[in-house]
Amino acid sequence: MTKEAVAIYWDFENLHASIFDTLHGSGSYPRPGNRNRQQDILVDVQGVYDFATTYGNVAINKAYCNWHWFSNYRQSLLKCAVELIQLFPPGPLAKNGADIKLSLDAVEDILRFPHISSIVVVGGDSDFIPLAQKLKAAGKDLIGVGCRNATNRHWANSCSDFKYYETFALEPQCDTCEDDEAATIKDAAELISKAIKQISLRNGDKWVLKAAIRPVVKRLDPTFDESNYGCRSFADLLKKHHDQFQIERGEHDHLVCLIE
């Protein structure tokens, strides 16, 4: 895995609304009684973030929404260091214009930060098609993420790569009461397993290069260090969990997969 930089842009309410409609029926979310109230946690913020880390180090992470109704997501958003962009809709039934603001910011950011190599846009709106054309013309890889039931097929086809949210997202945990700010050592096997799953999802192969795993683990948890688990190297850590990971010699590097 190369040291590439990634920018993530979330049309957050778009994703939340798509999941809401999947659960409660098409067209349910826009109703005033459903939209203009405090929202329950539906989006797996961590799952989307973890997927984005397989493309490189996350340098920009912006989410666009009227956050007045989404305070229940506080811990999830803080955990993934998401920059919240507040958008007030001009009327009770009006759109908040997230797609326009998001597109303008994405184009501005790639001009200001040319080291950004990949852009992840979370949303299924066809309004993002012109953004896709601009980003690809600038030589950037555009990865789209959207729900199956609400993604415009022309938008999906305009991306360099597109993943349906349902293929990697998990059921989000209610974390509104998790206020402990102390750093903790996370389970090594769980981190490595998550990294392997994300790389496998991206590459379409259950076997992944050993050298590709550790950079993704570091992006998932910047505090990761083999010495925290009594190991001198990443290879030693893999061997320590031989009951969970299968290792085989490849052509240029060892290959690793999860033991089912």
Side-chain angles (χ1 to χ4, degrees), residues 57-95:
N57 294 310
V58 177
I60 297 173
N61 193 5
K62 297 179 178 180
Y64 302 76
C65 190
N66 179 6
W67 296 107
H68 177 73
W69 303 118
F70 291 83
S71 61
N72 285 336
Y73 282 98
R74 175 179 176 272
Q75 284 300 121
S76 298
L77 296 165
L78 284 172
K79 188 177 180 182
C80 295
V82 181
E83 179 184 353
L84 307 185
I85 309 299
Q86 171 66 39
L87 299 171
F88 290 110
L93 301 177
K95 292 182 64 178

Coordinates of all heavy atoms in Angstrom, one line a residue, residues 57-95:
N57 N -4.1 7.4 3.5 CA -4.3 8.2 4.8 C -5.4 9.2 4.6 O -5.3 10.0 3.6 CB -3.0 8.8 5.2 CG -1.9 7.9 5.6 OD1 -2.1 6.9 6.3 ND2 -0.7 8.0 5.0
V58 N -6.3 9.3 5.5 CA -7.4 10.2 5.4 C -6.9 11.6 5.8 O -6.6 11.9 6.9 CB -8.6 9.8 6.3 CG1 -9.7 10.9 6.2 CG2 -9.1 8.5 5.8
A59 N -6.8 12.5 4.8 CA -6.3 13.9 5.0 C -7.4 14.9 5.2 O -7.2 15.9 5.9 CB -5.4 14.3 3.9
I60 N -8.5 14.6 4.6 CA -9.7 15.5 4.7 C -10.9 14.6 4.9 O -11.1 13.6 4.3 CB -9.9 16.3 3.4 CG1 -8.7 17.3 3.2 CG2 -11.2 17.1 3.5 CD1 -8.7 18.0 1.8
N61 N -11.8 15.0 5.9 CA -12.9 14.2 6.2 C -14.1 15.2 6.6 O -14.2 15.6 7.8 CB -12.6 13.3 7.4 CG -13.7 12.2 7.6 OD1 -14.6 12.1 6.8 ND2 -13.5 11.4 8.6
K62 N -14.9 15.6 5.6 CA -15.9 16.6 5.8 C -17.3 16.0 5.6 O -17.5 15.2 4.7 CB -15.7 17.8 4.9 CG -14.4 18.5 5.0 CD -14.3 19.7 4.0 CE -13.1 20.5 4.2 NZ -13.0 21.6 3.2
A63 N -18.2 16.3 6.5 CA -19.6 15.9 6.4 C -20.5 17.1 6.4 O -20.4 18.0 7.2 CB -19.9 14.9 7.5
Y64 N -21.5 17.0 5.5 CA -22.4 18.2 5.2 C -23.8 17.8 5.7 O -24.4 16.8 5.2 CB -22.4 18.6 3.8 CG -21.0 18.9 3.3 CD1 -20.1 17.9 3.0 CD2 -20.7 20.3 3.1 CE1 -18.8 18.3 2.6 CE2 -19.4 20.6 2.7 CZ -18.5 19.6 2.4 OH -17.2 19.9 2.0
C65 N -24.5 18.6 6.5 CA -25.8 18.3 7.1 C -26.3 19.4 7.9 O -25.5 20.3 8.3 CB -25.6 17.0 7.9 SG -27.2 16.3 8.4
N66 N -27.6 19.4 8.2 CA -28.2 20.3 9.2 C -28.0 19.5 10.5 O -28.9 18.7 10.9 CB -29.6 20.6 8.9 CG -30.3 21.5 10.0 OD1 -29.6 21.9 10.9 ND2 -31.6 21.7 9.9
W67 N -26.9 19.7 11.3 CA -26.6 18.9 12.4 C -27.5 19.1 13.6 O -27.4 18.4 14.6 CB -25.1 19.1 12.8 CG -24.2 18.7 11.7 CD1 -23.5 19.5 10.9 CD2 -23.9 17.4 11.3 NE1 -22.8 18.8 10.0 CE2 -23.0 17.5 10.2 CE3 -24.3 16.1 11.7 CZ2 -22.5 16.4 9.6 CZ3 -23.8 15.0 11.1 CH2 -22.9 15.1 10.0
H68 N -28.4 20.0 13.5 CA -29.4 20.2 14.6 C -30.1 19.0 14.9 O -30.5 18.7 16.1 CB -30.4 21.3 14.2 CG -31.4 21.6 15.2 ND1 -31.2 22.2 16.4 CD2 -32.8 21.3 15.2 CE1 -32.3 22.3 17.1 NE2 -33.3 21.8 16.4
W69 N -30.4 18.1 13.9 CA -31.2 16.9 14.1 C -30.4 15.7 14.3 O -30.9 14.6 14.4 CB -32.2 16.7 13.0 CG -33.1 17.9 12.7 CD1 -33.2 18.7 11.6 CD2 -34.1 18.4 13.6 NE1 -34.1 19.6 11.7 CE2 -34.7 19.5 13.0 CE3 -34.5 18.1 14.9 CZ2 -35.8 20.2 13.5 CZ3 -35.5 18.8 15.5 CH2 -36.1 19.9 14.8
F70 N -29.0 15.8 14.3 CA -28.2 14.6 14.2 C -27.2 14.5 15.4 O -26.1 14.0 15.2 CB -27.4 14.6 12.9 CG -28.4 14.3 11.7 CD1 -29.1 15.3 11.1 CD2 -28.5 13.0 11.2 CE1 -29.9 15.1 10.0 CE2 -29.4 12.8 10.1 CZ -30.1 13.8 9.6
S71 N -27.5 15.1 16.5 CA -26.6 15.1 17.6 C -26.3 13.7 18.2 O -25.3 13.5 18.9 CB -27.1 16.0 18.7 OG -28.4 15.6 19.2
N72 N -27.2 12.8 17.9 CA -26.9 11.4 18.4 C -25.7 10.8 17.8 O -25.2 9.8 18.3 CB -28.1 10.5 18.2 CG -29.3 10.8 19.1 OD1 -29.1 11.3 20.2 ND2 -30.5 10.5 18.6
Y73 N -25.2 11.3 16.7 CA -24.0 10.8 16.0 C -22.7 11.4 16.6 O -21.7 11.1 16.1 CB -24.1 11.1 14.5 CG -25.0 10.3 13.7 CD1 -26.3 10.7 13.4 CD2 -24.6 9.0 13.3 CE1 -27.1 9.9 12.6 CE2 -25.4 8.2 12.5 CZ -26.7 8.7 12.2 OH -27.5 7.9 11.4
R74 N -22.8 12.2 17.7 CA -21.7 12.9 18.2 C -20.4 12.0 18.4 O -19.4 12.3 17.9 CB -22.1 13.6 19.5 CG -20.9 14.3 20.2 CD -21.4 15.0 21.5 NE -20.3 15.6 22.2 CZ -19.5 14.9 23.1 NH1 -19.8 13.6 23.4 NH2 -18.5 15.5 23.7
Q75 N -20.6 10.9 19.1 CA -19.4 10.1 19.4 C -18.8 9.5 18.2 O -17.6 9.4 18.0 CB -19.8 9.1 20.4 CG -19.9 9.6 21.9 CD -18.6 10.2 22.4 OE1 -18.6 11.4 22.7 NE2 -17.6 9.4 22.4
S76 N -19.7 9.0 17.3 CA -19.2 8.3 16.1 C -18.4 9.3 15.2 O -17.4 8.9 14.6 CB -20.4 7.8 15.3 OG -21.1 6.8 16.0
L77 N -18.9 10.5 15.1 CA -18.2 11.5 14.3 C -16.9 12.0 14.9 O -15.9 12.2 14.2 CB -19.2 12.7 14.0 CG -20.5 12.4 13.2 CD1 -21.5 13.5 13.4 CD2 -20.1 12.1 11.8
L78 N -16.9 12.1 16.2 CA -15.7 12.5 16.9 C -14.6 11.4 16.8 O -13.5 11.7 16.6 CB -16.0 12.8 18.4 CG -16.7 14.1 18.7 CD1 -17.0 14.1 20.2 CD2 -15.8 15.3 18.4
K79 N -15.1 10.2 16.9 CA -14.1 9.1 16.8 C -13.4 9.0 15.5 O -12.2 8.6 15.4 CB -14.9 7.8 17.1 CG -14.0 6.5 17.2 CD -14.9 5.3 17.5 CE -14.1 4.1 17.7 NZ -14.9 2.9 18.0
C80 N -14.1 9.4 14.4 CA -13.5 9.4 13.1 C -13.0 10.7 12.6 O -12.6 10.9 11.5 CB -14.5 8.8 12.1 SG -15.0 7.1 12.4
A81 N -12.9 11.7 13.6 CA -12.4 13.0 13.3 C -13.0 13.7 12.1 O -12.3 14.2 11.2 CB -10.8 12.9 13.1
V82 N -14.3 13.6 12.0 CA -15.1 14.2 10.9 C -15.3 15.7 11.2 O -15.7 16.1 12.3 CB -16.5 13.5 10.8 CG1 -17.2 14.1 9.6 CG2 -16.3 12.0 10.6
E83 N -15.0 16.5 10.2 CA -15.2 18.0 10.2 C -16.7 18.2 9.8 O -17.1 17.9 8.7 CB -14.3 18.7 9.3 CG -14.5 20.2 9.3 CD -13.6 21.0 8.3 OE1 -12.7 20.3 7.7 OE2 -13.8 22.2 8.2
L84 N -17.5 18.8 10.7 CA -18.9 19.0 10.5 C -19.2 20.3 9.8 O -18.8 21.4 10.3 CB -19.7 18.9 11.8 CG -19.4 17.7 12.6 CD1 -20.4 17.7 13.8 CD2 -19.6 16.4 11.8
I85 N -19.8 20.3 8.6 CA -20.2 21.5 7.9 C -21.7 21.7 8.1 O -22.5 20.9 7.6 CB -19.8 21.4 6.4 CG1 -18.4 20.9 6.2 CG2 -20.1 22.7 5.7 CD1 -17.3 21.9 6.8
Q86 N -22.0 22.8 8.8 CA -23.4 23.0 9.1 C -24.1 23.7 7.9 O -23.6 24.7 7.4 CB -23.6 23.9 10.3 CG -24.9 24.4 10.6 CD -25.9 23.3 11.0 OE1 -25.6 22.4 11.7 NE2 -27.1 23.4 10.5
L87 N -25.3 23.2 7.5 CA -26.1 23.7 6.4 C -27.5 23.9 6.9 O -28.2 22.9 7.2 CB -26.0 22.8 5.2 CG -24.6 22.6 4.6 CD1 -24.7 21.5 3.5 CD2 -24.1 23.9 4.0
F88 N -28.0 25.1 6.9 CA -29.4 25.4 7.3 C -30.2 25.4 6.0 O -30.0 26.2 5.1 CB -29.5 26.7 8.0 CG -28.9 26.7 9.4 CD1 -27.7 27.4 9.7 CD2 -29.5 25.9 10.4 CE1 -27.2 27.4 10.9 CE2 -28.9 25.9 11.7 CZ -27.8 26.6 12.0
P89 N -31.3 24.6 5.9 CA -32.2 24.7 4.7 C -32.9 26.0 4.8 O -33.3 26.5 5.8 CB -33.1 23.5 4.9 CG -33.1 23.2 6.4 CD -31.7 23.6 6.9
P90 N -33.2 26.6 3.6 CA -33.9 27.9 3.5 C -35.4 27.8 3.9 O -36.1 28.8 4.0 CB -33.7 28.3 2.1 CG -33.5 27.1 1.3 CD -32.8 26.2 2.3
G91 N -35.9 26.6 4.0 CA -37.3 26.4 4.4 C -37.6 25.1 5.0 O -36.7 24.2 4.9
P92 N -38.7 24.8 5.6 CA -39.0 23.5 6.3 C -39.0 22.3 5.3 O -38.7 21.2 5.7 CB -40.3 23.7 6.9 CG -41.0 24.9 6.2 CD -39.9 25.7 5.8
L93 N -39.3 22.6 4.1 CA -39.4 21.5 3.1 C -38.2 21.6 2.1 O -38.2 20.7 1.1 CB -40.7 21.5 2.4 CG -41.9 21.3 3.3 CD1 -43.2 21.4 2.4 CD2 -41.9 20.0 4.0
A94 N -37.4 22.5 2.2 CA -36.3 22.8 1.2 C -35.1 21.8 1.4 O -34.8 21.4 2.6 CB -35.8 24.2 1.2
K95 N -34.4 21.5 0.4 CA -33.1 20.8 0.5 C -32.1 21.7 1.1 O -32.1 23.0 1.0 CB -32.6 20.3 -0.9 CG -33.5 19.2 -1.5 CD -33.0 18.8 -2.8 CE -31.6 18.1 -2.7 NZ -31.1 17.6 -3.9

